[in-house]
Amino acid sequence: MSMNGKYRLPRVAGLAVAAVLAGGAIAAPARAETDGDSPGEPIIVTAQMRSQPLEDVPITVRVIDAATIDMHAADDMARLAAFVPGLAIDASSPTQPRIAIRGITTTDFGIGTDPAVGVYVDGVYAGRSGGEITQFNDIEHIEVLKGPQGTLLGRNSAAGGISIITRKPVDHFEAETMVRAGNYGKVRVDGMVNVPLTSTLALRVSGVFNRRDGLYTDAATGQRRNRQLNWSGRAQLRWRPDTETDVLLTWFHDQVDQDARPSIRVVPLSSRTPAVGAPASTWIDPLRTPITNDVSDNPERRNLNEVSLHLERRMGAVTLSAITDWRHFSTFNREDEDSTNRADLYLDSSNAERNTTFYQELRLSGASHLVDWVAGASFNDEKAGQVSGVGLTTDSIDTILSNIGQGTPFHDLQTGLIDAYGLPISVLGQSWDEAMINHGHYQAWAAFGDAIWHVTPRLNLTTGLRYTRDIKHFSWFNGSRSAPGLDAAMATLNSLGALALAGVSPSAFAFDVIFDMSAYASIPCENGVTVAENVTCKRSARYGNLSPRAVLDYRIAPGVLLFAGFSRGYKAGGFTATQPGSTFRNELVDNYEAGIKADLRKLGLVMNLSGFHYVYNNRQTLRLETPAGSLVSQYVTDTSDEQAWGADFDTNWTPRALPVSLYAQGQYIDATYRRRVNTSGQDLAGQPTGTPMWSVAGGARLTRPLGRWGLFAMDVSHAYTSVCRTNAETLAQGFCGGNVGAFVLNGARNRTDLKIAATRADGGLSFGFFVQNLFDNRYVQRVSMISASALGTPYAVLTNPRFFGGEIKVHF
């Protein structure tokens, strides 16, 4: 069997057969779709906006329950992604995460575009990536929906969706607290209390506090870096005045105040300036490199508040559901971009974002012997602002200008004029900041309908359609660079007549290095101007889309379901925040899928298999490019079409005669470009997109009764992801490169988690010991090339080390 991208079984059918065989061969512990449930209890999901047993849903869905979250000691969704094959989350910057399902992701971090994976909490779209990754707080379960969900979930779910369901208030008192402590000074405290206020009113309040010391120590200062501090709280008031009415009012807050990720050198440093464009073969291993960062303030902060109102009213055969939601968050992070503590190589980047969203949805649903239907409409209004900044010094600007053959003006001015005349002034060591300011106002209207037609007692036909209308307004503004210390020095030199001696004026030093608008000067804007510095450029766009789906499912035997269907995912067009005047069209994913779900609980066995093929049209990819005649990298956008063939499987087995449960799950995918010529003229058609071919996970759970003391349980899980598949530009972009000499860039990864716990018979008290990444496997996740062409300082971002600790949980 070839793994070079030319493997071609009879496609979907052949891959599904291969998945069946693999599912039987990789069996290990049961924590997948039967997580925490006994074989006789079906798992209820809302993947189709209805409460249904998982095995009746003709969609590839991975369900993660609270027991699985606890078993992995996971703080957020990013900590679980390795154990959900086909899901990848890079949350090294939690306010700017990248989420991918089946290789589909959004690389642009600007507010002008939307994510390709929709994240939903209790049915409400989380929106911008800045608010997607929050602390787990009183979670009931999580549904990871693979493949386009444009009809049901709507816009920006072209790759799939992550639906997080929280626990709701109940009509009896309960309370729970958990304290977890571990290495790196880890402390996490969870608490929850549920109080019935009256016979019809209940209040549930939960909160999480989490802190951790830094994972790294700066070799020059001894300062701990990559410290973590966050907390979140949720209060829910539930009113059920009668059996037909359910009203839920929720307030949620999430606070992040921690260090931004550090940058770790991959180039050797001496007293000389590193060579730009040094080949990867000369790089050094970042896992063995001392860390020296010099950003004076490198925080990562988020303040998120949300209020939502959910209403459900049953009116005979019809149920009315309404969701009203207001959400606001602000973020700020500043990161080191040069991995050194040298002023002549200094570069940092910062991102500040503010976002306010209002969402309203009305939905009607009903069921009969003929059809189970849902119909509704929604409105979304979003206002967003972003400041993308870069910080340099006059010394590092000299380095950049020298590298492009334009000399060292600040050094020359200092030594040739200021020092020569003994003036008490310095133009070196001065800060220099540039920024791009964006504002967006977006509105989206949608109407949708979805019906499950019961053609026969065994055969169902699901049809669905959503129409979405997006109206977007966007602006760009690049002001003059900010360098108050330098400007003061220049004003003094000018007043003394010193600059006249050198034949220059202060305006000669008022240029932009990173956000240079000269390349965009001829682009017209809708507000009657062309792109220029200190000028606001405005654009607007309107997008519309029809997203259909059609699925046939047939129950060939009790507990065995076959399904096949088509669905479309829609990601609204938009704007590239770093390219003034730009706009791009909708992105569409057409997905064909077929599979089988076998719920053989009498045998303690559950198996789910599916094969898929999708075509992804008009994908927008943000990439670093160095314009001709310059060494300063800039973000530009490429457009491409992609396609993939693949298969998903999972198998869960709980032998009746043994105190063990086993699971295995995985994904195979062959993702390639159908059409792509990047802005450098490289034709990548037929080449891999970089997505690894294989991702698998498996594990086992052993349980033993402890008599009157309760139950002992041990869980062990292992996840494996194969090496990323390179193409002609992956190394240049720094996210995939295979063996580059001293290390492997985004190579194959392994992670093993272990949890041992003992629970008292009444469930009121439990003790546990956990290990994440048992064998301390660490990998180079990516290499940032943002400073490579200008300063010769690419840097690495690493995966986390081993975490371990203990916990005590008390339930009242």
Side-chain angles (χ1 to χ4, degrees):
M1 183 184 298
S2 172
M3 292 298 173
N4 62 1
K6 299 180 180 179
Y7 170 48
R8 297 288 188 271
L9 277 176
R11 288 304 188 181
V12 172
L15 290 170
V17 171
V20 174
L21 298 175
I26 309 179
R31 274 290 195 215
E33 309 231 348
T34 56
D35 294 345
D37 293 88
S38 68
E41 296 176 337
I43 299 171
I44 304 301
V45 298
T46 56
Q48 297 191 113
M49 291 186 175
R50 313 156 172 91
S51 294
Q52 297 174 281
L54 176 62
E55 301 307 321
D56 290 345
V57 178
I59 299 174
T60 301
V61 185
R62 162 80 165 102
V63 177
I64 306 165
D65 72 350
T68 302
I69 295 172
D70 181 70
M71 190 271 281
H72 290 285
D75 294 329
D76 54 45
M77 194 64 207
R79 300 293 186 267
L80 284 175
F83 295 92
V84 184
L87 173 66
I89 301 179
D90 177 356
S92 52
S93 294
T95 62
Q96 293 179 292
R98 294 182 180 181
I99 305 177
I101 293 179
R102 289 179 174 172
I104 298 176
T105 187
T106 296
T107 57
D108 193 343
F109 53 81
I111 62 170
T113 188
D114 298 294
V117 177
V119 177
Y120 300 80
V121 181
D122 291 330
V124 178
Y125 178 51
R128 295 285 146 207
S129 61
E132 286 183 330
I133 301 297
T134 59
Q135 289 286 298
F136 283 149
N137 182 358
D138 205 20
I139 302 300
E140 179 182 293
H141 72 272
I142 301 166
E143 302 170 16
V144 180
L145 287 66
K146 297 183 180 181
Q149 306 296 323
T151 302
L152 289 171
L153 297 184
R155 56 198 282 271
N156 308 330
S157 58
I162 299 173
S163 178
I164 300 173
I165 312 299
T166 66
R167 291 183 173 128
K168 307 301 184 292
V170 293
D171 59 4
H172 58 272
F173 175 83
E174 64 177 5
E176 185 175 89
T177 185
M178 186 270 289
V179 178
R180 181 179 293 154
N183 60 334
Y184 296 102
K186 169 79 171 184
V187 175
R188 178 184 170 97
V189 181
D190 290 68
M192 177 278 297
V193 60
N194 185 100
V195 181
L197 302 177
T198 69
S199 61
T200 61
L201 193 65
L203 174 67
R204 190 180 188 96
V205 178
S206 60
V208 175
F209 170 82
N210 183 62
R211 71 167 300 278
R212 189 199 66 210
D213 293 338
L215 301 182
Y216 307 92
T217 300
D218 192 289
T221 66
Q223 177 184 347
R224 298 293 293 180
R225 297 195 177 275
N226 205 215
R227 295 167 297 182
Q228 189 178 77
L229 178 64
N230 42 56
W231 71 273
S232 70
R234 176 180 290 108
Q236 297 176 300
L237 188 65
R238 188 176 190 180
W239 181 47
R240 290 184 285 183
D242 52 56
T243 58
E244 308 300 319
T245 307
D246 195 344
V247 182
L248 182 68
L249 178 64
T250 302
W251 168 81
F252 175 67
H253 175 80
D254 185 85
Q255 185 86 34
V256 174
D257 188 3
Q258 61 185 49
D259 293 343
R261 60 103 188 102
S263 61
I264 306 173
R265 282 193 296 116
V266 296
V267 294
L269 283 182
S270 64
S271 59
R272 296 179 294 107
T273 300
V276 297
S281 59
T282 65
W283 290 354
I284 58 178
D285 187 353
L287 289 166
R288 295 172 173 81
T289 302
I291 296 174
T292 52
N293 287 186
D294 57 357
V295 177
S296 58
D297 180 30
N298 70 320
E300 182 144 19
R301 303 189 185 105
R302 176 178 60 219
N303 191 320
L304 184 154
N305 285 285
E306 181 175 18
V307 179
S308 61
L309 179 66
H310 291 242
L311 166 67
E312 186 172 290
R313 173 71 178 176
R314 288 181 289 276
M315 302 174 293
V318 176
T319 298
L320 168 67
S321 300
I323 300 175
T324 304
D325 184 84
W326 175 88
R327 181 182 178 97
H328 174 80
F329 70 82
S330 59
T331 71
F332 178 79
N333 71 310
R334 178 181 283 115
E335 301 174 339
D336 187 287
E337 299 287 1
D338 64 277
S339 65
T340 76
N341 59 353
R342 285 172 43 174
D344 64 325
L345 299 174
Y346 185 89
L347 177 65
D348 73 52
S349 68
S350 62
N351 181 73
E353 186 177 342
R354 296 179 67 86
N355 183 283
T356 302
T357 303
F358 172 78
Y359 178 76
Q360 179 66 59
E361 179 180 305
L362 295 173
R363 190 165 70 234
L364 293 172
S365 60
S368 69
H369 71 281
L370 176 62
V371 62
D372 181 342
W373 60 274
V374 176
S378 65
F379 170 72
N380 189 81
D381 183 273
E382 177 186 2
K383 295 178 181 178
Q386 183 177 34
V387 180
S388 303
V390 293
L392 304 104
T393 65
T394 47
D395 308 69
S396 59
I397 290 174
D398 265 357
T399 301
I400 293 172
L401 295 178
S402 175
N403 284 334
I404 61 176
Q406 295 187 14
T408 54
F410 296 107
H411 179 269
D412 294 345
L413 183 63
Q414 185 71 41
T415 58
L417 181 65
I418 298 173
D419 293 347
Y421 284 91
L423 300 176
I425 298 170
S426 179
V427 294
L428 295 176
Q430 301 290 349
S431 64
W432 177 296
D433 297 294
E434 301 176 18
M436 178 70 76
I437 302 173
N438 302 116
H439 288 95
H441 185 195
Y442 317 126
Q443 292 183 324
W445 293 262
F448 59 90
D450 192 81
I452 302 174
W453 303 93
H454 307 304
V455 181
T456 73
R458 292 188 174 187
L459 179 66
N460 294 316
L461 171 64
T462 301
T463 57
L465 187 68
R466 177 186 289 258
Y467 175 74
T468 306
R469 179 69 171 171
D470 282 282
I471 299 177
K472 295 189 172 187
H473 303 278
F474 198 76
S475 69
W476 299 260
F477 178 81
N478 169 238
S480 302
R481 64 99 179 102
S482 174
L486 175 64
D487 289 343
M490 289 297 179
T492 301
L493 290 173
N494 196 46
S495 66
L496 295 174
L499 291 183
L501 292 176
V504 295
S505 67
S507 62
F509 299 91
F511 51 88
D512 273 11
V513 176
I514 305 298
F515 292 117
D516 180 5
M517 295 293 100
S518 59
Y520 308 103
S522 61
I523 297 176
C525 307
E526 292 180 357
N527 53 327
V529 301
T530 57
V531 173
E533 189 174 83
N534 290 307
V535 172
T536 298
C537 175
K538 296 183 179 180
R539 295 289 302 270
S540 61
R542 288 169 168 78
Y543 306 97
N545 175 260
L546 274 173
S547 294
R549 81 160 177 152
V551 185
L552 269 174
D553 67 80
Y554 182 71
R555 191 166 298 281
I556 60 174
V560 182
L561 185 76
L562 296 176
F563 68 91
F566 165 82
S567 62
R568 171 169 292 169
Y570 159 56
K571 181 181 166 209
F575 314 89
T576 302
T578 54
Q579 289 181 255
S582 68
T583 183
F584 57 84
R585 298 177 291 116
N586 294 341
E587 300 180 31
L588 300 175
V589 179
D590 288 340
N591 185 72
Y592 302 86
E593 194 145 350
I596 180 172
K597 295 193 169 191
D599 184 1
L600 308 175
R601 291 178 184 265
K602 291 183 178 180
L603 302 176
L605 183 65
V606 176
M607 294 190 301
N608 298 298
L609 315 164
S610 62
F612 62 88
H613 167 62
Y614 69 71
V615 176
Y616 187 1
N617 289 314
N618 198 42
R619 181 188 178 185
Q620 307 297 309
T621 303
L622 198 67
R623 63 188 295 272
L624 281 168
E625 182 183 272
T626 305
S630 173
L631 284 176
V632 181
S633 294
Q634 298 178 1
Y635 282 109
V636 297
T637 300
D638 281 339
T639 301
S640 64
D641 295 338
E642 302 175 7
Q643 66 178 0
W645 304 83
D648 285 281
F649 71 88
D650 66 73
T651 304
N652 301 270
W653 183 37
T654 306
R656 295 291 184 177
L658 299 174
V660 66
S661 54
L662 310 170
Y663 86 88
Q665 56 189 265
Q667 177 184 276
Y668 167 85
I669 187 169
D670 178 7
T672 58
Y673 291 109
R674 300 180 70 208
R675 177 191 60 84
R676 183 175 182 191
V677 177
N678 65 26
T679 52
S680 300
Q682 290 177 298
D683 187 352
L684 275 70
Q687 295 191 33
T689 63
T691 302
M693 269 192 168
W694 286 98
S695 54
V696 296
R701 186 179 209 220
L702 173 68
T703 57
R704 300 287 296 181
L706 298 176
R708 62 191 181 93
W709 294 103
L711 185 72
F712 167 84
M714 182 174 71
D715 294 273
V716 60
S717 297
H718 184 80
Y720 167 80
T721 302
S722 64
V723 64
C724 66
R725 301 175 64 205
T726 60
N727 60 46
E729 70 165 14
T730 48
L731 179 58
Q733 296 304 308
F735 70 89
C736 181
N739 192 328
V740 295
F743 61 92
V744 178
L745 173 55
N746 211 346
R749 301 187 194 182
N750 290 276
R751 174 177 154 182
T752 304
D753 284 7
L754 174 69
K755 177 74 176 289
I756 298 173
T759 305
R760 203 169 64 185
D762 61 3
L765 179 66
S766 66
F767 302 88
F769 172 78
F770 68 89
V771 185
Q772 296 176 350
N773 189 15
L774 177 64
F775 299 105
D776 201 22
N777 293 317
R778 304 201 65 190
Y779 306 98
V780 180
Q781 187 164 306
R782 58 186 169 90
V783 170
S784 175
M785 306 295 285
I786 191 170
S787 62
S789 59
L791 298 168
T793 53
Y795 65 84
V797 176
L798 306 180
T799 59
N800 285 331
R802 174 174 50 224
F803 294 135
F804 61 85
E807 65 182 33
I808 300 175
K809 183 183 295 185
V810 182
H811 185 87
F812 303 95

